[in-house]
Amino acid sequence: MEKNVFSRIPMRTWRWLGVNEARAPENIDSEIKNKQILVDRETEENLVLTHREAGSYEVQIHLEAGARLNLVLAQLTPSDAAYTCRVRAHVADGAEFSYTVVEAGAHETVTELYVDLAGKEAKADVWGLYLGDGDSRIDMNYIIRQEGRLTDANMQVRGALLGESQKVFRGTLDFLEGSTGSVGRENEEVMLLSPKVRNRSVPIMLSHEADVDGHHAVSVGKMDENKLFYLMSRGLDLAEAQRLVVEASFRPVIDRIGDEALRDEIDTFLMRRLANG
Amino acid sequence: MAEEFVPKKKTYVEDIERTLYDIRDEDRSVYKSHSGLTEDIIRDISKRKNDPEWMTEFRLKSLETYNNMPLPTWGPDLSELNMDEIVTYVQPDAKMTGNWQEVPEDIKNTFDRLGIPEAEQKQSLAGVGAQYDSEVVYHSIQEDLVKQGVIYTDMETALWEHGDIVKEYFMTLVPPKDHKFTALHGAVWSGGSFVYVPEGVHVEIPLQSYFRLNAAGAGQFEHTLIIVEKGASLHFIEGCSAPKYNVTNLHAGCVELFVKEGARLRYSTIENWSRNMMNLNTKRAIVEKDGIIEWVSGSFGSHVSCLYPCSILHGENARCEFTGVTFASKGQNLDTGASVIHAAPHTSANINTRTISKAGGAATYRSAVKVTRNAPFAKCSVNCESLMLDSESRSDTLPVMDIEGDEADIGHEAKIGRISDEAIFYLTSRGIDEEEARAMIVRGFVEPIAKELPLEYAVEMNNLVNIELEGTMG
């Protein structure tokens, strides 16, 4: 792979858009902090990973048949940190990978999620949240490969951009030949909160199988003015109203985090950044 | 016990009928350049075309650009294309004329079969252009439009009779440096149409140019340049076809559209090249304040296609509507889509596409929506839907949205799927038999596009969706 290229989209497009590759930050600590997770057949695990330090992380996951993993990954690194994280999951027959990820820290964030729904009725339920502020850069490449029959992929991502932040989100649903009867949904909602932000969204859907049902949707825009007007008519000032609207958008992701202390910490972390942004 | 998996039955959709397009004429060209690309060949083409000096220089500079540019690193595989084997200039045994009777018999018969003069006689077209291989053999325009100052002629005539305008606009919107095949086009272009609609003139009936490539192993590189002045309007139709050969043919045309303040241009294309054609075409429009560009694009033919009409919304309130349908069958890799650049405030775009792939065909929807910082309050809505009729085929969507600033409203939606059992159940419960229900749903799938096509092409597309129905789609 070309120098510094951390991740690629499965199918290339025009170079001028600058979305074909995600590059690792130049000042990244390249020593990889590796974690391996194996969930045995017909068992369930709940796991929380909190990344508070800059650096390169890698998580390898193997779900055996009928296994279930609820993984929460919160990236709460300092605002000057350089951070990369690669998560790879192999999901066997009837197994379910439930993943909630919060990308809220770091000056530069580059992540890859690669899920292989290899088995029949394998399932991935991915909920992501990102917040860009200051001059932060966020670059994400999520790929769900649907290989088995009757697989089910759901990718829901919410984000907000403040200050002069820039972000790229690439989300791919790849229906391979033989993934008969599979379904896939992908949705990204982005709120643009400053005139200096830049948002790039790349929702990719690849299909080599006719009997599938795939949808993707992206919505990018300013905050809903009607919502703001309503909240302000109830006595909130503009900043408070904006915070409330962003919080409401993030809520479906945050509510998936079972650990109350972490949920509160993320809430506080996000709200502080929103207030400063 | 695990439920037994029963694969769904497939609906059979017929291929497009190609007999009409595949009739070959005997190759009676009076001159063919050597195959390949050299400075001598370019100078020779330029001399034969009696180019002004600036154009000869332009061609040579484009050749240099071509030689220094790599092939695109994305999109369909182009390795089958060997430029050393492509004849870039084929001069037919016919001179450009405004009188249909003067067109040589075999060429006339070809266009007669395609219904081109018939439409003109029925006055459903206000002007017709017909290109055969590298040269335009016929051009006509209604007298009343000429009186209003409308110019519709072949590019070679325009180069001499309206040289100042051509020089001002030619390959300024699509510069040769854009990519390897625009550089190639700049070097070897020949034929094509020039349209100039003066301020405030509304061309009520469409103009149509038809491009036919008859020679085996040849390339067609027509250039279309349209300028619609302030407050004017035009509907331009472009058709193209070729008979099938067992060697590769190449089409690398270029379309440049200038839509001035408050003007409106509808550009409809039905591309039905033969299945040995590499169709690497570039189309771009720049739209000024309150102007409107409407693209209607049907891609049915060719072996490989790369076609992504681009709209630059340059003036405030400029608007783009893009409607496209792509049908990829056996041996076809059709990579189509659109791009829109919002470069001024309050610009808006609406992109709506449908793709069908079958029998091992590959259809890719590729798009780019770019909102610059100069374009607050931009709005763009993209909708693309794909039907795959079997699992030998491929259907991919690859859209990119790049938005700078916070005053934009961008929505994108895409679907890949099959006909739902619920829809069939509903229709059959209303007394419609199952086969007809399926046909209705497939026709409904392409209907938003078909209704935008010129009538004769809509009929052709309905024939395309001629279905022998059994079981579910998908």
Side-chain angles (χ1 to χ4, degrees):
Chain A
M1 200 176 266
E2 209 180 316
K3 200 184 163 205
N4 287 342
V5 173
F6 181 79
S7 181
R8 292 185 195 281
I9 49 176
M11 189 174 168
R12 296 169 72 83
T13 192
W14 292 293
R15 279 180 61 191
W16 63 272
L17 294 162
V19 297
N20 286 323
E21 297 101 10
R23 289 178 191 277
E26 298 214 339
N27 56 343
I28 190 84
D29 176 359
S30 57
E31 190 189 334
I32 295 169
K33 299 173 189 73
N34 199 304
K35 178 153 185 77
Q36 293 184 334
I37 302 166
L38 171 67
V39 186
D40 291 335
R41 207 177 175 84
E42 304 294 342
T43 59
E44 180 168 346
E45 271 195 41
N46 295 297
L47 204 63
V48 176
L49 300 175
T50 310
H51 294 166
R52 297 179 194 279
E53 290 173 16
S56 306
Y57 294 80
E58 208 165 286
V59 183
Q60 286 165 343
I61 298 159
H62 191 96
L63 300 187
E64 291 189 345
R68 184 184 159 89
L69 173 67
N70 293 311
L71 176 65
V72 173
L73 196 159
Q75 189 260 108
L76 304 172
T77 59
S79 58
D80 60 349
Y83 171 84
T84 69
C85 183
R86 195 189 306 276
V87 176
R88 287 185 172 245
H90 177 91
V91 188
D93 282 359
E96 183 176 344
F97 175 50
S98 175
Y99 181 54
T100 306
V101 56
V102 176
E103 309 282 9
H107 177 251
E108 206 168 343
T109 299
V110 183
T111 64
E112 180 190 81
L113 169 71
Y114 188 93
V115 181
D116 188 6
L117 297 180
K120 184 186 167 193
E121 295 181 10
K123 196 172 172 185
D125 191 20
V126 174
W127 290 72
L129 179 164
Y130 60 83
L131 175 69
D133 61 356
D135 61 350
S136 66
R137 303 280 181 272
I138 304 172
D139 197 324
M140 293 165 283
N141 188 23
Y142 290 8
I143 299 164
I144 302 181
R145 217 166 157 261
Q146 299 188 244
E147 200 178 338
R149 278 197 280 119
L150 301 166
T151 60
D152 184 333
N154 181 33
M155 197 190 288
Q156 300 289 329
V157 176
R158 305 277 188 275
L161 298 175
L162 299 96
E164 297 180 19
S165 61
Q166 296 192 12
K167 154 263 154 182
V168 184
F169 176 74
R170 311 164 185 81
T172 301
L173 297 177
D174 188 0
F175 295 99
L176 302 186
E177 191 170 0
S179 60
T180 323
S182 292
V183 294
R185 297 163 300 281
E186 179 190 339
N187 186 30
E188 187 195 2
E189 291 176 19
V190 192
M191 264 185 274
L192 308 171
L193 302 174
S194 151
K196 292 185 175 173
V197 297
R198 182 177 186 189
N199 172 74
R200 279 176 282 180
S201 297
V202 191
I204 303 172
M205 194 152 51
L206 311 175
S207 182
H208 210 315
E209 172 56 56
D211 184 15
V212 296
D213 190 1
H215 293 248
H216 67 207
V218 175
S219 158
V220 185
K222 225 183 163 180
M223 214 170 258
D224 184 337
E225 286 183 359
N226 293 327
K227 281 183 192 164
L228 285 179
F229 178 78
Y230 173 78
L231 291 168
M232 290 168 75
S233 73
R234 313 295 289 181
L236 296 178
D237 67 27
L238 180 63
E240 284 169 336
Q242 281 180 336
R243 271 205 300 282
L244 210 58
V245 173
V246 174
E247 202 188 337
S249 158
F250 287 174
R251 192 48 51 196
V253 184
I254 292 173
D255 280 351
R256 287 167 54 90
I257 301 170
D259 181 331
E260 202 176 324
L262 179 63
R263 206 168 55 219
D264 289 347
E265 184 187 349
I266 291 170
D267 263 340
T268 311
F269 190 88
L270 291 173
M271 289 309 117
R272 194 178 63 234
R273 294 189 82 147
L274 274 169
N276 295 336
Chain B
M1 202 175 100
E3 199 181 318
E4 186 64 28
F5 177 71
V6 182
K8 292 193 168 65
K9 291 177 186 174
K10 302 284 192 272
T11 297
Y12 180 73
V13 176
E14 284 186 350
D15 256 352
I16 188 162
E17 169 61 49
R18 287 206 53 89
T19 318
L20 181 69
Y21 305 102
D22 277 341
I23 299 172
R24 302 172 190 174
D25 295 338
E26 191 186 333
D27 183 354
R28 292 209 300 208
S29 53
V30 292
Y31 175 76
K32 278 183 177 180
S33 65
H34 292 294
S35 56
L37 267 183
T38 63
E39 190 178 322
D40 286 347
I41 290 172
I42 304 303
R43 283 192 188 280
D44 184 49
I45 293 172
S46 191
K47 194 174 164 192
R48 284 180 177 277
K49 295 183 72 63
N50 196 22
D51 279 343
E53 201 180 321
W54 71 267
M55 185 53 80
T56 308
E57 289 307 311
F58 187 93
R59 288 180 188 278
L60 291 170
K61 211 168 168 195
S62 299
L63 176 67
E64 197 183 321
T65 307
Y66 174 84
N67 287 332
N68 292 326
M69 279 189 114
L71 279 168
T73 52
W74 51 271
D77 178 19
L78 302 177
S79 59
E80 286 173 54
L81 178 65
N82 181 356
M83 274 313 295
D84 292 338
E85 292 174 356
I86 297 286
V87 174
T88 50
Y89 181 68
V90 180
Q91 189 181 348
D93 185 12
K95 290 224 163 7
M96 220 290 283
T97 175
N99 181 349
W100 187 244
Q101 296 316 316
E102 290 172 10
V103 175
E105 205 61 26
D106 54 346
I107 296 179
K108 198 160 62 178
N109 288 343
T110 299
F111 287 109
D112 279 341
R113 276 194 301 271
L114 296 165
I116 309 307
E118 189 188 348
E120 186 189 12
Q121 283 152 18
K122 283 182 186 164
Q123 305 221 323
S124 56
L125 295 172
V128 165
Q131 176 160 340
Y132 194 83
D133 291 332
S134 297
E135 295 291 353
V136 176
V137 294
Y138 174 70
H139 240 285
S140 75
I141 179 170
Q142 284 178 357
E143 204 49 45
D144 65 314
L145 290 175
V146 176
K147 283 180 189 153
Q148 291 178 78
V150 176
I151 304 165
Y152 177 45
T153 185
D154 61 295
M155 276 302 295
E156 282 77 3
T157 304
L159 200 53
W160 285 104
E161 294 183 3
H162 311 284
D164 291 348
I165 310 178
V166 174
K167 197 171 178 182
E168 185 184 341
Y169 290 96
F170 184 83
M171 292 200 85
T172 53
L173 191 52
V174 182
K177 284 188 176 165
D178 215 61
H179 58 79
K180 194 163 181 77
F181 296 100
T182 52
L184 172 67
H185 178 91
V188 299
W189 76 271
S190 181
S193 292
F194 173 77
V195 187
Y196 179 83
V197 186
E199 186 173 335
V201 173
H202 297 281
V203 181
E204 308 284 356
I205 309 172
L207 302 177
Q208 172 170 292
S209 287
Y210 200 95
F211 302 97
R212 176 77 177 170
L213 181 57
N214 183 63
Q220 196 170 62
F221 307 95
E222 83 286 355
H223 193 93
T224 302
L225 175 58
I226 299 178
I227 301 151
V228 186
E229 289 286 8
K230 194 171 173 180
S233 67
L234 171 70
H235 181 186
F236 186 86
I237 303 171
E238 174 196 68
C240 20
S241 68
K244 188 171 181 187
Y245 292 102
N246 54 7
V247 291
T248 300
N249 276 26
L250 170 65
H251 176 235
C254 179
V255 174
E256 296 183 289
L257 310 175
F258 295 85
V259 182
K260 299 295 177 71
E261 187 177 330
R264 183 180 196 126
L265 171 59
R266 171 173 276 224
Y267 195 93
S268 302
T269 308
I270 294 295
E271 177 271 297
N272 208 349
W273 294 114
S274 53
R275 305 273 169 90
N276 59 313
M277 179 68 86
M278 304 284 257
N279 179 37
L280 311 173
N281 212 4
T282 306
K283 298 181 176 182
R284 196 165 296 161
I286 186 162
V287 189
E288 302 299 344
K289 188 179 176 202
D290 298 323
I292 300 172
I293 177 74
E294 297 170 299
W295 301 94
V296 180
S297 185
S299 295
F300 303 126
S302 71
H303 169 47
V304 169
S305 248
C306 293
L307 179 62
Y308 327 96
C310 170
S311 307
I312 302 170
L313 304 178
H314 189 251
E316 201 166 345
N317 288 320
R319 215 171 87 195
C320 163
E321 295 280 333
F322 180 90
T323 308
V325 63
T326 296
F327 187 106
S329 189
K330 189 177 178 181
Q332 293 185 280
N333 186 347
L334 306 186
D335 199 303
T336 59
S339 62
V340 180
I341 298 170
H342 294 261
H346 298 284
T347 49
S348 61
N350 195 6
I351 298 173
N352 195 7
T353 68
R354 301 284 185 277
T355 65
I356 301 176
S357 53
K358 63 160 282 196
T364 300
Y365 168 77
R366 188 185 299 271
S367 71
V369 173
K370 167 94 185 163
V371 178
T372 67
R373 289 201 197 283
N374 300 327
F377 311 107
K379 279 189 181 176
C380 183
S381 163
V382 181
N383 183 301
C384 56
E385 295 188 23
S386 307
L387 262 186
M388 271 178 77
L389 304 185
D390 54 63
S391 297
E392 293 166 67
S393 307
R394 277 206 71 98
S395 182
D396 299 326
T397 63
L398 207 175
V400 179
M401 283 146 273
D402 183 355
I403 292 103
E404 293 181 275
D406 64 343
E407 295 283 4
D409 184 359
I410 310 298
H412 172 97
E413 198 176 344
K415 280 189 226 172
I416 289 180
R418 56 186 174 84
I419 295 174
S420 76
D421 294 340
E422 288 79 7
I424 297 294
F425 177 76
Y426 173 77
L427 288 168
T428 51
S429 75
R430 313 298 290 181
I432 296 164
D433 73 51
E434 191 175 325
E435 290 188 4
E436 181 52 27
R438 292 180 196 288
M440 281 172 76
I441 291 169
V442 175
R443 288 198 191 97
F445 177 74
V446 290
E447 197 268 345
I449 314 298
K451 73 178 187 197
E452 298 298 330
L453 292 171
L455 185 63
E456 59 272 34
Y457 291 119
V459 171
E460 184 177 314
M461 198 167 94
N462 270 341
N463 291 339
L464 182 153
V465 189
N466 185 4
I467 304 162
E468 288 175 14
L469 295 142
E470 190 204 346
T472 55
M473 172 76 59

